[in-house]
Amino acid sequence: MAVIVNLTDTFDDWRLKTNLTASQFGDLTALSTTDKTSLVAAINEIFTNDSDDMENVVDDLTPQLGGNLDLNSKDITGTGQFAGTSIAGTVTGTTQAASNNSTLLATTAYVDAQVATEDTLAEMNDTTMSGLANLDILQYDSGTSTWKNQTMSAAGIPSSGFAVAMAIALG
């Protein structure tokens, strides 16, 4: 059907002549959409309910990255976990404060700092130091998993054997 628009037609004349009626496209009641008030409303409903397009990342049940992920200064959070039992490659993390006694991963810097604080026997919590006396020795007790200061005789070293033991130790 040809539509004739005259140069003298008003905008309203042009609109009425060029807006096609439903009979030219079919009956709106035959559409499978719920909103049949107009062709525009039906198209908007189809666009809104279109299940082929992904409007939210959560809609993708098997997401994959095709390249690097830029977090734009945001964090990735959640309660998930790694599927494997080990982490391969180089992993870097924040060195926790010495007072942080949590289950967070410890960096080498954290471990080094903690070991450096244990610089005297008195600071070692697996060492029993009491009644120190001249010529006492430090002996490991595997039964209690602790180090103890003992006299030579309590450690099973006769006092006459001390000079021999020192000579052997000093080589």
Side-chain angles (χ1 to χ4, degrees):
M1 170 179 170
V3 176
I4 299 172
V5 177
N6 299 313
L7 293 175
T8 58
D9 285 348
T10 64
F11 177 76
D12 197 42
D13 292 334
W14 171 84
R15 183 185 59 81
L16 291 173
K17 289 179 179 179
T18 57
N19 282 345
L20 303 174
T21 61
S23 62
Q24 292 167 303
F25 285 107
D27 191 356
L28 284 175
T29 58
L31 289 174
S32 62
T33 59
T34 306
D35 191 347
K36 297 175 180 25
T37 56
S38 71
L39 187 57
V40 172
I43 290 170
N44 284 337
E45 180 183 333
I46 291 169
F47 176 75
T48 302
N49 296 330
D50 184 11
S51 62
D52 293 332
D53 61 346
M54 189 174 74
E55 281 128 27
N56 298 298
V57 173
V58 73
D59 294 337
D60 188 353
L61 301 180
T62 56
Q64 294 181 347
L65 289 177
N68 293 333
L69 177 63
D70 185 350
L71 297 179
N72 292 321
S73 301
K74 301 295 182 189
D75 295 329
I76 295 176
T77 60
T79 57
Q81 57 188 339
F82 288 107
T85 56
S86 66
I87 300 173
T90 302
V91 178
T92 58
T94 302
T95 298
Q96 300 302 322
S99 61
N100 187 337
N101 190 21
S102 67
T103 59
L104 296 172
L105 291 176
T107 63
T108 306
Y110 175 83
V111 174
D112 288 347
Q114 289 302 97
V115 170
T117 64
E118 300 278 334
D119 57 358
T120 68
L121 290 175
E123 292 174 330
M124 294 185 195
N125 60 3
D126 62 349
T127 305
T128 302
M129 301 296 286
S130 61
L132 296 175
N134 194 27
L135 298 178
D136 278 359
I137 63 168
L138 190 60
Q139 185 179 33
Y140 185 74
D141 181 348
S142 61
T144 61
S145 298
T146 59
W147 289 91
K148 297 179 181 181
N149 65 304
Q150 304 217 24
T151 63
M152 288 191 298
S153 61
I157 302 173
S159 59
S160 62
F162 177 69
V164 173
M166 287 301 295
I168 293 171
L170 295 174

